[in-house]
Amino acid sequence: MSEERGKRGRDERRSQLLLAARQVFASKGYHAATVDDITRAAGVAKGTFYLYFDEKRAVFYELIRTFFDLVTEVGGAFAGEVPDRAEYVRRLEVAAARICELFRDQRDLVKLVYRESMGMDPELESMVREFYRRIARLEAENVQLGIDLGLYRADLHPLVVAYAQIGMVERILLGQLSDRSFPAEPDLVRQIVELALRGAGR
Amino acid sequence: MSEERGKRGRDERRSQLLLAARQVFASKGYHAATVDDITRAAGVAKGTFYLYFDEKRAVFYELIRTFFDLVTEVGGAFAGEVPDRAEYVRRLEVAAARICELFRDQRDLVKLVYRESMGMDPELESMVREFYRRIARLEAENVQLGIDLGLYRADLHPLVVAYAQIGMVERILLGQLSDRSFPAEPDLVRQIVELALRGAGR
Amino acid sequence: MSEERGKRGRDERRSQLLLAARQVFASKGYHAATVDDITRAAGVAKGTFYLYFDEKRAVFYELIRTFFDLVTEVGGAFAGEVPDRAEYVRRLEVAAARICELFRDQRDLVKLVYRESMGMDPELESMVREFYRRIARLEAENVQLGIDLGLYRADLHPLVVAYAQIGMVERILLGQLSDRSFPAEPDLVRQIVELALRGAGR
Amino acid sequence: MSEERGKRGRDERRSQLLLAARQVFASKGYHAATVDDITRAAGVAKGTFYLYFDEKRAVFYELIRTFFDLVTEVGGAFAGEVPDRAEYVRRLEVAAARICELFRDQRDLVKLVYRESMGMDPELESMVREFYRRIARLEAENVQLGIDLGLYRADLHPLVVAYAQIGMVERILLGQLSDRSFPAEPDLVRQIVELALRGAGR
DNA sequence: TATGAATGAGCTTTCATTCAT
DNA sequence: GATGAATGAAAGCTCATTCAT
């Protein structure tokens, strides 16, 4: 039981450090943030950091991975039993709504990912690429499903469409976060779904 | 004439350093690259760098701005005399083709921009944001034009559509650059134009 | 108790660095001395310096200020209960003796102050000026006291006399330190006191 | 004759650089001043500096030496035919007046000498020491003369008195230059002479 | 003589990481 | 486990000096 308590204590410390790091990174950026900043924000001594993480990068990796997992989860929820058209559309709406929520609730992580994840490190960079590759493939399957259901046209490459939809969504949501004159659309989710399903053309 | 030569010589050195920096940054990333790396790549002594740039960041800024200018130019070429539908479509095709070219010909710059431009610096970060804001506004005007011409539906906010199209294009092109299993589509430009005009739905 | 030890350890390290800096500065001069020289002399790593001082200048400031404090202390000991003539003379003798000691015992500091304190920095320079202003004012009060006691003539401005006495003392003592053919006067203190009280005239 | 003109031109350039250096050094200090600052102030190109001086230090040396020569000249004018008491006093008055003028007219040089001459360089430092040694010896001879004439007491070592008088004068004049609350004594020269001849005692 | 672009040694400072307590 | 003092590699930047033109 003391082991149990020890483990729980250990996990709490880790989370405490992760949370502190997330905030510090989000506010100063990865490079400007020092390990000292993080431990001070977490209220522990500097050396403690290295009891939970091998190096500064490690905690950054973990944060990025957390975000990727959250996104992948949304994308993955689409799969499953082959649905009919109505169900497909419904799933799309759910996914769009959840992604919007995600960007809203995890602003800190969003900042990290879109500000620095690429420029960090060859290793992390390939992790990011791998993420896009995976999620694009996932989405391409969904697109293929949409084609099979007759919802999407068949003359476009599913992977191209997948990348297009990913980019569309991320740029809209980033715009909403950082462009102060972005329209306060209450039905942004609807617009995203419309764009994905029917496009801008009439 | 000696002034002429001096000026030309000066500009050549600058370009030489810019080119070297572009390559070094693209291969090692901004933070891992040292001023020494750059000057060694340019075949000059370290101090020479500071005859042409105030600091390391300055050369990075200039490269980013260069890319932004190239993109803005493509977006701006759309404007002008109010066209008819056919002309609008033709312009769209030209712009898409030029953006594709741009991403292909300026891989180094693309890498810099999408890897590190955001995580650098508050100053640069706001330059990047400003860029997106500006180009989104530019594109939103084009979208409005498309609506007026009856090419686009009127029930979507032009700025949202603009961001969507920007994200769509950039994610597709980045995917093409970095996803090794991206389909070698010879008609990628056409697919982009189709997506922009008619969307993925049937 | 560990806090006690920590604090004591910290103070010792600081003193160790201050001492090393004092020696290094005295022998090579501030500008020629590097932080590396100082830490090597102190037997610690370079980074350790910055755990105790914000910058190279800071340690110099502290050394200069130390000397100024020592001198000011001597000058200040003069004040207090209004004395009679005999007491005044006795205090003068004590002060002269202590200043001589000070210059002898703190040669390193004397070197620093008279070699470089002025040329360092606007900030330090004004500290030096402030020191002279303060000590001159202090001494001027003593002179006024001497005038009141009938020991000094009343037709000279006390502040002028104060500056004169300060310069007299410092130049004599500096001469003794650096002019190898300076007479080895065993009664230098007496001569200084005589000069201050009665001057060179007969 | 062209050689004549060349020589004159050369000397003018030199003086131009010396003057510029004097101003630049006086305003920024020796270390903060760059060769570039000097040549820019002189209106010539950087390389030109090295056609007239071997190194940066050289011009500083020359400026310091100039000041020393001016002072030495004043001190030396005292010597000559053995005078009587009245003549001695008159010469003292003249010397005091000229030193005051010197400090007033050559503020830039005074700043240089008293701010940085000591901390520069072992070589320059020994030049400064040599200067003090020489001028102290010179003044000691004058003091001996005063003793012989019965103007000065014989129980003080002439060299000690010499240093005392030098220090007295320099500190008073420096105080006047930098202590903003220094009394605007119109008869400062008289007070200096009084202090030198009769001291502060009554 | 005059120029000013080029050089490169050398400095201060930072900070991720280690380790004795 | 927790601490925080100590480490030392590493990098940006300056500027006296040189030299081809």
Side-chain angles (χ1 to χ4, degrees):
Chain A
M1 202 192 85
S2 83
E3 201 181 62
E4 198 63 7
R5 255 230 335 251
K7 192 142 203 172
R8 179 170 314 175
R10 191 173 165 78
D11 285 353
E12 272 168 28
R13 263 288 203 286
R14 246 186 91 86
S15 305
Q16 187 185 359
L17 282 163
L18 272 170
L19 180 63
R22 179 206 287 232
Q23 290 163 346
V24 172
F25 286 154
S27 86
K28 320 181 63 163
Y30 176 82
H31 285 99
T34 68
V35 172
D36 223 38
D37 291 329
I38 296 169
T39 52
R40 225 178 301 120
V44 298
K46 183 149 57 169
T48 302
F49 181 89
Y50 290 91
L51 296 173
Y52 297 92
F53 300 96
D54 282 343
E55 40 178 358
K56 189 189 170 193
R57 271 170 29 189
V59 71
F60 189 74
Y61 276 43
E62 189 158 332
L63 290 171
I64 300 295
R65 188 178 296 278
T66 298
F67 180 77
F68 285 171
D69 287 348
L70 289 172
V71 173
T72 306
E73 219 176 295
V74 174
F78 214 99
E81 269 302 282
V82 180
D84 58 17
R85 287 192 192 186
E87 172 64 7
Y88 190 96
V89 172
R90 210 188 51 74
R91 286 192 189 172
L92 204 62
E93 285 165 351
V94 170
R98 287 181 62 194
I99 281 285
C100 287
E101 260 179 74
L102 187 56
F103 271 65
R104 195 184 324 113
D105 297 348
Q106 310 288 344
R107 284 189 71 135
D108 284 355
L109 290 184
V110 171
K111 269 190 184 178
L112 291 200
V113 169
Y114 285 97
R115 266 201 332 206
E116 327 199 54
S117 63
M118 289 300 285
M120 270 296 302
D121 202 73
E123 201 182 337
L124 182 53
E125 194 169 323
S126 71
M127 181 177 124
V128 175
R129 275 212 254 271
E130 192 43 52
F131 163 73
Y132 271 112
R133 202 142 47 203
R134 201 148 24 86
I135 206 179
R137 234 152 257 26
L138 205 61
E139 181 60 12
E141 286 173 26
N142 295 336
V143 169
Q144 183 59 55
L145 199 57
I147 295 174
D148 295 344
L149 290 170
L151 279 165
Y152 289 140
R153 18 194 315 203
D155 65 329
L156 300 175
H157 194 294
L159 197 61
V160 173
V161 175
Y163 271 115
Q165 291 182 340
I166 291 168
M168 199 182 82
V169 171
E170 74 187 1
R171 186 52 60 201
I172 287 174
L173 294 179
L174 289 173
Q176 187 192 26
L177 286 186
S178 66
D179 186 339
R180 274 163 302 138
S181 51
F182 195 90
E185 296 292 287
D187 62 345
L188 193 62
V189 175
R190 182 193 65 85
Q191 296 198 41
I192 288 173
V193 172
E194 284 295 316
L195 278 166
L197 275 178
R198 278 181 280 277
R202 43 169 290 173
Chain B
M1 200 195 82
S2 80
E3 199 181 66
E4 198 64 8
R5 251 229 336 252
K7 195 141 200 172
R8 179 168 317 177
R10 194 174 161 77
D11 286 352
E12 271 168 30
R13 260 286 193 279
R14 244 187 92 86
S15 306
Q16 184 185 2
L17 281 163
L18 271 170
L19 181 62
R22 180 206 286 233
Q23 290 163 346
V24 172
F25 286 154
S27 87
K28 318 182 65 162
Y30 176 82
H31 284 100
T34 68
V35 172
D36 226 35
D37 289 331
I38 296 169
T39 51
R40 222 176 305 120
V44 299
K46 182 155 45 172
T48 302
F49 180 89
Y50 291 92
L51 295 176
Y52 296 91
F53 300 95
D54 282 342
E55 40 178 356
K56 189 189 168 193
R57 272 171 29 192
V59 73
F60 190 73
Y61 276 42
E62 188 158 334
L63 290 171
I64 299 296
R65 189 179 293 279
T66 299
F67 180 77
F68 285 171
D69 288 348
L70 289 172
V71 173
T72 306
E73 218 176 295
V74 174
F78 215 99
E81 271 300 284
V82 180
D84 58 17
R85 287 193 193 184
E87 173 64 9
Y88 190 94
V89 172
R90 210 189 51 75
R91 286 192 190 172
L92 204 62
E93 284 165 350
V94 169
R98 286 182 61 195
I99 281 284
C100 288
E101 258 179 75
L102 188 56
F103 271 64
R104 196 185 320 116
D105 296 348
Q106 310 286 345
R107 286 189 69 133
D108 284 354
L109 289 184
V110 171
K111 271 189 183 179
L112 292 198
V113 169
Y114 285 96
R115 265 202 332 207
E116 327 201 53
S117 63
M118 288 300 286
M120 268 297 301
D121 203 74
E123 200 182 340
L124 184 52
E125 196 169 322
S126 72
M127 180 177 124
V128 175
R129 276 212 253 270
E130 193 42 52
F131 164 73
Y132 271 111
R133 203 142 46 203
R134 200 150 24 86
I135 207 178
R137 239 153 253 27
L138 205 62
E139 183 57 14
E141 287 173 26
N142 294 335
V143 169
Q144 183 61 54
L145 198 58
I147 294 174
D148 296 343
L149 290 171
L151 278 165
Y152 288 140
R153 27 199 302 207
D155 64 331
L156 300 175
H157 194 295
L159 196 61
V160 173
V161 175
Y163 272 115
Q165 292 182 339
I166 289 167
M168 197 183 82
V169 170
E170 73 187 1
R171 186 51 61 200
I172 289 174
L173 294 178
L174 288 173
Q176 187 193 30
L177 286 187
S178 66
D179 186 340
R180 273 162 303 135
S181 52
F182 195 90
E185 296 292 284
D187 62 346
L188 193 62
V189 174
R190 182 193 64 85
Q191 297 197 39
I192 288 173
V193 172
E194 284 295 316
L195 278 165
L197 275 178
R198 276 179 282 277
R202 40 168 295 172
Chain C
M1 201 194 83
S2 81
E3 199 180 64
E4 199 63 9
R5 251 226 340 249
K7 194 143 203 169
R8 179 167 316 174
R10 192 174 163 78
D11 286 353
E12 271 167 30
R13 259 287 193 279
R14 243 188 94 86
S15 307
Q16 185 185 2
L17 281 163
L18 270 171
L19 181 61
R22 180 206 285 233
Q23 290 164 346
V24 171
F25 285 154
S27 86
K28 317 182 66 161
Y30 175 82
H31 284 100
T34 67
V35 172
D36 224 34
D37 290 331
I38 296 169
T39 50
R40 226 179 300 120
V44 298
K46 185 155 40 172
T48 303
F49 180 89
Y50 291 92
L51 294 176
Y52 296 92
F53 300 96
D54 281 343
E55 41 177 355
K56 189 189 167 192
R57 271 170 31 191
V59 73
F60 190 74
Y61 274 44
E62 187 158 334
L63 291 171
I64 299 296
R65 188 178 294 278
T66 298
F67 180 78
F68 285 172
D69 287 348
L70 289 172
V71 172
T72 306
E73 219 176 295
V74 173
F78 215 98
E81 270 302 281
V82 180
D84 59 15
R85 286 194 194 182
E87 173 64 9
Y88 190 95
V89 172
R90 210 189 52 75
R91 287 193 189 170
L92 205 62
E93 284 166 350
V94 170
R98 286 182 63 194
I99 281 284
C100 288
E101 259 179 73
L102 187 56
F103 271 66
R104 196 186 320 116
D105 296 348
Q106 310 287 346
R107 287 190 66 139
D108 284 355
L109 289 184
V110 171
K111 270 190 183 177
L112 292 199
V113 169
Y114 285 96
R115 264 199 336 205
E116 327 199 52
S117 63
M118 288 300 285
M120 270 296 302
D121 203 74
E123 199 183 341
L124 183 52
E125 195 168 323
S126 72
M127 179 176 126
V128 175
R129 274 211 253 270
E130 193 43 51
F131 164 73
Y132 271 112
R133 203 141 47 201
R134 198 149 25 86
I135 207 179
R137 233 147 264 20
L138 204 62
E139 182 58 14
E141 287 173 26
N142 294 335
V143 169
Q144 183 60 54
L145 198 57
I147 295 175
D148 296 343
L149 289 171
L151 279 165
Y152 289 141
R153 20 194 314 204
D155 65 329
L156 300 176
H157 194 294
L159 197 61
V160 174
V161 175
Y163 272 115
Q165 292 182 340
I166 290 167
M168 197 183 83
V169 170
E170 73 187 1
R171 188 50 63 200
I172 288 174
L173 294 178
L174 288 173
Q176 187 193 29
L177 285 186
S178 68
D179 186 338
R180 272 162 302 134
S181 51
F182 195 90
E185 296 292 288
D187 62 347
L188 192 62
V189 174
R190 183 192 63 85
Q191 296 198 42
I192 288 173
V193 172
E194 284 294 316
L195 278 166
L197 273 178
R198 278 181 281 279
R202 40 167 294 172
Chain D
M1 201 192 81
S2 81
E3 199 180 63
E4 200 63 8
R5 254 233 330 255
K7 191 143 204 168
R8 177 168 316 175
R10 188 171 167 81
D11 285 353
E12 272 168 29
R13 262 289 203 284
R14 244 187 92 86
S15 307
Q16 187 184 0
L17 281 163
L18 272 170
L19 180 62
R22 180 206 287 233
Q23 292 164 344
V24 172
F25 287 154
S27 86
K28 319 182 64 162
Y30 176 82
H31 284 99
T34 68
V35 172
D36 222 38
D37 290 330
I38 297 170
T39 52
R40 224 176 304 120
V44 299
K46 183 148 58 168
T48 303
F49 181 89
Y50 290 90
L51 296 173
Y52 296 92
F53 300 96
D54 282 343
E55 38 177 1
K56 189 190 170 191
R57 272 169 29 189
V59 71
F60 190 73
Y61 276 44
E62 189 158 332
L63 290 171
I64 299 296
R65 189 178 296 278
T66 299
F67 180 77
F68 286 171
D69 288 348
L70 288 172
V71 173
T72 307
E73 218 177 294
V74 174
F78 216 99
E81 272 301 283
V82 180
D84 59 16
R85 287 194 194 182
E87 172 64 8
Y88 189 94
V89 171
R90 211 189 50 75
R91 286 192 190 173
L92 205 60
E93 286 165 350
V94 170
R98 287 183 60 196
I99 281 285
C100 287
E101 262 178 73
L102 186 57
F103 270 65
R104 195 185 323 114
D105 297 347
Q106 309 288 344
R107 285 189 70 136
D108 283 355
L109 290 183
V110 171
K111 270 189 184 177
L112 291 199
V113 169
Y114 285 96
R115 267 203 329 207
E116 327 201 54
S117 63
M118 289 298 287
M120 270 296 302
D121 202 72
E123 202 182 337
L124 182 53
E125 194 170 323
S126 71
M127 182 177 123
V128 175
R129 276 213 253 270
E130 192 44 53
F131 163 73
Y132 271 112
R133 203 141 49 201
R134 200 150 22 86
I135 205 176
R137 237 152 254 29
L138 204 61
E139 182 58 12
E141 285 174 27
N142 294 336
V143 168
Q144 184 59 55
L145 198 58
I147 294 174
D148 296 344
L149 290 170
L151 278 166
Y152 288 140
R153 23 195 312 203
D155 64 330
L156 300 176
H157 193 295
L159 197 62
V160 173
V161 175
Y163 271 116
Q165 292 183 339
I166 290 168
M168 199 182 81
V169 171
E170 72 187 3
R171 187 51 61 200
I172 288 174
L173 295 178
L174 289 173
Q176 189 192 29
L177 287 186
S178 67
D179 187 338
R180 273 161 303 136
S181 51
F182 196 89
E185 297 292 286
D187 61 345
L188 194 63
V189 174
R190 181 194 66 85
Q191 297 197 40
I192 288 172
V193 172
E194 284 294 316
L195 277 166
L197 274 178
R198 277 180 282 278
R202 39 169 297 172

